[in-house]
Amino acid sequence: MSLVRVHNFSVSLDGFGTGDDQKLETPFGHAGQRLMEWAMETRTFREMGFHGESEGSFGVDEAFASQWGPGIGVEIMGRNKFGPKRGPWDSEEWKGWWGANPVFHTPVVVLTHHPRPTLELEGGTTFYFVDADPVSALQQARALAGDLDVRIGGGVSTIRLFLEADLIDHMHLVIVPIILGRGERLWDGLEGLERRFDIEATTSPLGVLHLIFTRRTTR
Amino acid sequence: MSLVRVHNFSVSLDGFGTGDDQKLETPFGHAGQRLMEWAMETRTFREMGFHGESEGSFGVDEAFASQWGPGIGVEIMGRNKFGPKRGPWDSEEWKGWWGANPVFHTPVVVLTHHPRPTLELEGGTTFYFVDADPVSALQQARALAGDLDVRIGGGVSTIRLFLEADLIDHMHLVIVPIILGRGERLWDGLEGLERRFDIEATTSPLGVLHLIFTRRTTR
């Protein structure tokens, strides 16, 4: 069966996956760009259109960043990753943060209690708005992915939801050595999670820590 | 001036420096031995009387563990590290967790709102019970340390207190990849702490992460 994977998901040393006060101008809230700075210099993120200072690295950060795309047939994301608006949609004008030709190039399942019509954009990205629990959302995503893997794209509460339901096979986390103090905590409600995973860790010259969680048991 | 140092202080991935439900039988609460397992195999901890499975390692964990003693002239610890009892002392029978000849072999300043007479044990360890704020406690500790450094020995709230007061020069933390879920959080109230420190990180074959905080500015 295809795998369920998380890639490049960054949390602060105190466990926040996003900052406080998220809005249109500050998608990560008061965290700003700090959680994703490590990725900005990688070739993978440069090719996605992010601006960095280098031509794009091939170091350890890129080695991890580049795992994001290959083999993935669909992404599942939370409504809060898709856009800054909460509650019912005022209109269908908002088409995500990613422009006319989004970086995904696959179907994307957006979990929301407020479904809206399927949104097909350029380059193979189609957003499906689905009101479903993790198990059923995963079934729908797999139907869209063919034999390929499913990426859980975030945000924090979506990853936590799939971890709680024990649906994640591989998870690549990046610990950024900053203390955000407030925002949304990844680890809440996940006591003892380590018993279900083998955990590997490595450092990067940029000072971040890559943690790789591999599920111990197979379903 | 002598330095103020923290060594071998372990926190879980979700930032807890001790578990819930601390008592005489379980000094780390529901965390049990899990936060300190990495240290049990080191030569330094074996020589302090801890029991491990090996003869004592000389690897990266030992390289860090062994920094604990040399150059230290005094330790400051919180009342909760000294013993499980909270509030006023019923008697002066409790002499710490460390037996008749404690591992410290220096003066130890115990921060408490309930002072009691100085307690001199074998091997050079003398406990002084002091009701003082961090600045004044540090002054008293330095007077006992001569030219040597001051170790802040924990627990969680004592380290947080000295970090908040910006009194710590070097801090060696160990991130243990477990999710405790509950207990005492190290990072609360320390938003932006990273701006005051250079932070270096390395991994250990045991799977823990060593973080070394070095204060950027000198006093």
Side-chain angles (χ1 to χ4, degrees), chain A residues 29-41:
Chain A
H30 83 293
Q33 299 288 317
R34 289 180 290 164
L35 287 172
M36 291 310 289
E37 251 164 29
W38 69 270
M40 296 302 163
E41 303 300 323

Side-chain angles (χ1 to χ4, degrees), chain B residues 47-217:
Chain B
E47 285 175 353
M48 284 197 273
F50 290 88
H51 298 290
E53 289 172 4
S54 72
E55 287 301 305
S57 75
F58 279 99
V60 59
D61 298 309
E62 167 63 6
F64 284 108
S66 67
Q67 309 296 306
W68 179 85
I72 293 290
V74 66
E75 166 157 328
I76 299 176
M77 68 168 64
R79 158 75 181 273
N80 293 358
K81 175 171 174 180
F82 180 71
K85 181 88 175 63
R86 309 292 181 255
W89 306 98
D90 296 329
S91 75
E92 281 151 26
E93 220 174 291
W94 179 263
K95 296 182 166 55
W97 300 98
W98 304 276
N101 185 352
V103 295
F104 304 103
H105 309 300
T106 67
V108 175
V109 171
V110 180
L111 297 177
T112 172
H113 297 307
H114 304 280
R116 53 181 254 190
T118 295
L119 173 65
E120 192 175 343
L121 298 178
E122 290 168 35
T125 299
T126 303
F127 291 100
Y128 297 83
F129 300 87
V130 165
D131 186 4
D133 63 31
V135 169
S136 143
L138 184 55
Q139 276 173 348
Q140 296 182 52
R142 280 203 157 113
L144 294 165
D147 293 333
L148 295 176
D149 290 346
V150 178
R151 185 177 54 236
I152 308 297
V156 182
S157 61
T158 301
I159 292 180
R160 206 166 49 214
L161 205 64
F162 279 82
L163 283 172
E164 280 168 359
D166 196 17
L167 293 172
I168 290 178
D169 298 298
H170 287 281
M171 178 167 70
H172 165 234
L173 282 191
V174 182
I175 312 279
V176 180
I178 58 176
I179 316 295
L180 282 179
R182 52 209 160 92
E184 205 173 343
R185 289 187 195 275
L186 176 61
W187 302 116
D188 279 7
L190 294 175
E191 179 180 339
L193 180 74
E194 72 281 1
R195 288 193 289 265
R196 296 198 258 122
F197 289 92
D198 291 319
I199 305 174
E200 197 181 309
T202 195
T203 56
S204 139
L206 285 185
V208 301
L209 302 157
H210 295 274
L211 290 183
I212 307 92
F213 290 65
T214 306
R215 221 166 165 280
R216 280 194 182 144
T217 54

Side-chain angles (χ1 to χ4, degrees), chain A residues 10 35 122 142 149 155 165 178 204:
Chain A
S10 302
L35 287 172
E122 291 169 34
R142 280 202 158 116
D149 290 347
I178 59 176
S204 140

Side-chain angles (χ1 to χ4, degrees), chain A residues 132-140 162 165 167:
Chain A
D133 63 32
V135 169
S136 143
L138 183 55
Q139 277 173 347
Q140 297 182 52
F162 279 81
L167 294 172

Side-chain angles (χ1 to χ4, degrees), chain A residues 9-22 27-31 35 78-81 86 154-161 164 180-188 190, chain B residues 185:
Chain A
F9 196 77
S10 302
V11 297
S12 64
L13 208 45
D14 48 346
F16 293 101
T18 189
D20 209 11
D21 195 24
Q22 289 180 273
F28 288 92
H30 83 293
L35 287 172
R79 158 77 181 271
N80 293 358
K81 176 172 172 178
R86 308 292 182 257
V156 181
S157 62
T158 301
I159 292 181
R160 206 167 48 214
L161 205 62
E164 280 168 2
L180 281 179
R182 52 212 160 91
E184 205 173 342
R185 290 187 195 276
L186 176 62
W187 302 117
D188 280 6
L190 294 175
Chain B
R185 289 187 195 275

